[in-house]
Amino acid sequence: MATANDVERARRDGVLLGIPLGDLGWFQSLLMGLATGFAAFFATTFCAILVLLVYMSVTHHPVDFAIAYRRAGFPVGVVVMALALSYLGVQWARRMARKSQRS
């Protein structure tokens, strides 16, 4: 069972789905941000391809599947990656500032 101190520390350091984001180093934050962007890119591209397949089967019009990458996957991936990197960067900077105040 989580103690009150653990809950307070989690709120202060930043926790997402049980992952203590405040404890990540610079390189770990970079990897997590890039992985989040890639995951969003692939998930969005997959959903867009499925939507295009349904559209093509219903309307019988030829569809350029590159639209799924250009207009759906890439923009969503870049936005999610930028948001993840900025959030993780702020968490890392806060941790560095706390460490420097203790010293």
Side-chain angles (χ1 to χ4, degrees):
M1 182 166 174
T3 64
N5 189 27
D6 291 338
V7 172
E8 182 181 324
R9 181 178 176 264
R11 287 184 183 148
R12 184 184 69 235
D13 291 346
V15 173
L16 179 65
L17 301 174
I19 301 168
L21 299 176
D23 292 340
L24 298 177
W26 177 83
F27 188 69
Q28 293 167 332
S29 296
L30 179 67
L31 285 178
M32 288 280 288
L34 293 174
T36 304
F38 282 123
F41 167 77
F42 289 120
T44 305
T45 301
F46 175 74
C47 292
I49 287 173
L50 289 180
V51 167
L52 288 175
L53 281 171
V54 169
Y55 173 78
M56 188 174 70
S57 66
V58 169
T59 63
H60 302 291
H61 288 121
V63 176
D64 181 18
F65 285 99
I67 292 172
Y69 298 96
R70 278 194 314 253
R71 296 200 181 160
F74 183 72
V76 169
V78 168
V79 167
V80 169
M81 188 181 305
L83 290 174
L85 287 173
S86 63
Y87 176 75
L88 292 171
V90 166
Q91 290 294 322
W92 180 78
R94 283 183 183 170
R95 192 170 126 248
M96 291 297 115
R98 269 196 319 270
K99 277 187 175 180
S100 67
Q101 288 176 356
R102 286 185 208 162
S103 311

